Amino acid sequence: MADDFKIQLQENIPFSTAEIEDIERKLKGFRKIMFIVIASATSVVMGFIVFLMKNSLAKFRYYDYLLLVAAGFALFGFCYLIGCLVLWYDTANWKKDKRIGKNKLLSIVIDQDTTEYGEYLTFAGIGENDKIRLKVKPEDYSRYPKGTRLSVTYLKFSKEVLEIVEFDHSD
């Protein structure tokens, strides 16, 4: 079956402007979630500290309460700063790194498998015994059986499929 079909692999295709905007939109959503998670964690930590100090709270004066609130804001600010620095570093690296991109594969599905992390299709690679295993959406997993000729665009390092185009079976 794979003998009469030419398998092709294009590597390091740069991201389009729309794909970069989509990634940046997802990062903005992640920043909002990061803010909520860090604020919740800081509240839990500060609540635990207040719980441990419940016997000495009666001796507190107003400035002690202000210091406790300031410590909470300082903890939140420190954690949020570290999170923002990590996101900034990661974003700067993926925009700069030429190895990060996507690949386009023209091949045949040779196997399907499901794990606890998702559904995967295995494609025939360029070499005789090469195989490329890619994570697909559940609807794509059930749509393309073994032997289907596909053109697949996927992220290079995460091996996650971005786009699938089926070829005509009438060849």
Side-chain angles (χ1 to χ4, degrees), residues 123-135:
F123 296 89
I126 299 272
E128 191 171 317
N129 293 325
D130 286 347
K131 296 177 183 178
I132 300 173
R133 185 173 179 247
L134 302 173
K135 184 176 181 181

Side-chain angles (χ1 to χ4, degrees), residues 8-27:
Q8 300 172 359
L9 176 64
Q10 297 174 353
E11 295 184 308
N12 299 326
I13 301 169
F15 289 116
S16 67
T17 306
E19 290 170 329
I20 290 174
E21 289 172 357
D22 184 50
I23 292 171
E24 288 175 347
R25 183 183 50 78
K26 289 177 183 176
L27 279 175

Side-chain angles (χ1 to χ4, degrees), residues 28-42:
K28 284 181 183 176
F30 180 75
R31 282 190 181 103
K32 290 178 185 175
I33 292 172
M34 181 180 72
F35 180 84
I36 293 168
V37 168
I38 291 174
S40 301
T42 302

Side-chain angles (χ1 to χ4, degrees), residues 22-168:
D22 184 50
I23 292 171
E24 288 175 347
R25 183 183 50 78
K26 289 177 183 176
L27 279 175
K28 284 181 183 176
F30 180 75
R31 282 190 181 103
K32 290 178 185 175
I33 292 172
M34 181 180 72
F35 180 84
I36 293 168
V37 168
I38 291 174
S40 301
T42 302
S43 299
V44 169
V45 168
M46 294 308 292
F48 184 67
I49 290 171
V50 168
F51 174 74
L52 292 177
M53 297 176 55
K54 65 182 173 185
N55 293 335
S56 59
L57 287 179
K59 300 175 191 171
F60 270 28
R61 297 207 167 89
Y62 73 93
Y63 54 85
D64 294 324
Y65 291 108
L66 291 176
L67 285 174
L68 187 64
V69 170
F73 280 118
L75 177 64
F76 171 79
F78 176 74
C79 293
Y80 191 73
L81 175 68
I82 295 299
C84 286
L85 287 175
V86 168
L87 280 176
W88 172 77
Y89 179 77
D90 188 39
T91 303
N93 278 340
W94 74 259
K95 284 184 178 178
K96 213 175 10 176
D97 195 350
K98 300 298 182 201
R99 295 174 299 142
I100 297 175
K102 56 186 179 178
N103 291 345
K104 187 170 186 174
L105 176 68
L106 177 64
S107 185
I108 297 173
V109 177
I110 58 173
D111 196 16
Q112 295 177 314
D113 63 303
T114 303
T115 67
E116 62 189 67
Y117 302 109
E119 288 85 16
Y120 294 86
L121 294 178
T122 304
F123 296 89
I126 299 272
E128 191 171 317
N129 293 325
D130 286 347
K131 296 177 183 178
I132 300 173
R133 185 173 179 247
L134 302 173
K135 184 176 181 181
V136 295
K137 297 175 185 168
E139 59 269 12
D140 291 335
Y141 178 79
S142 59
R143 185 181 303 151
Y144 303 113
K146 293 179 186 177
T148 308
R149 297 175 180 182
L150 299 175
S151 174
V152 181
T153 304
Y154 64 95
L155 294 175
K156 184 175 182 176
F157 289 108
S158 68
K159 303 283 187 177
E160 191 171 327
V161 172
L162 299 173
E163 178 185 25
I164 297 179
V165 177
E166 187 171 2
F167 277 84
D168 189 16

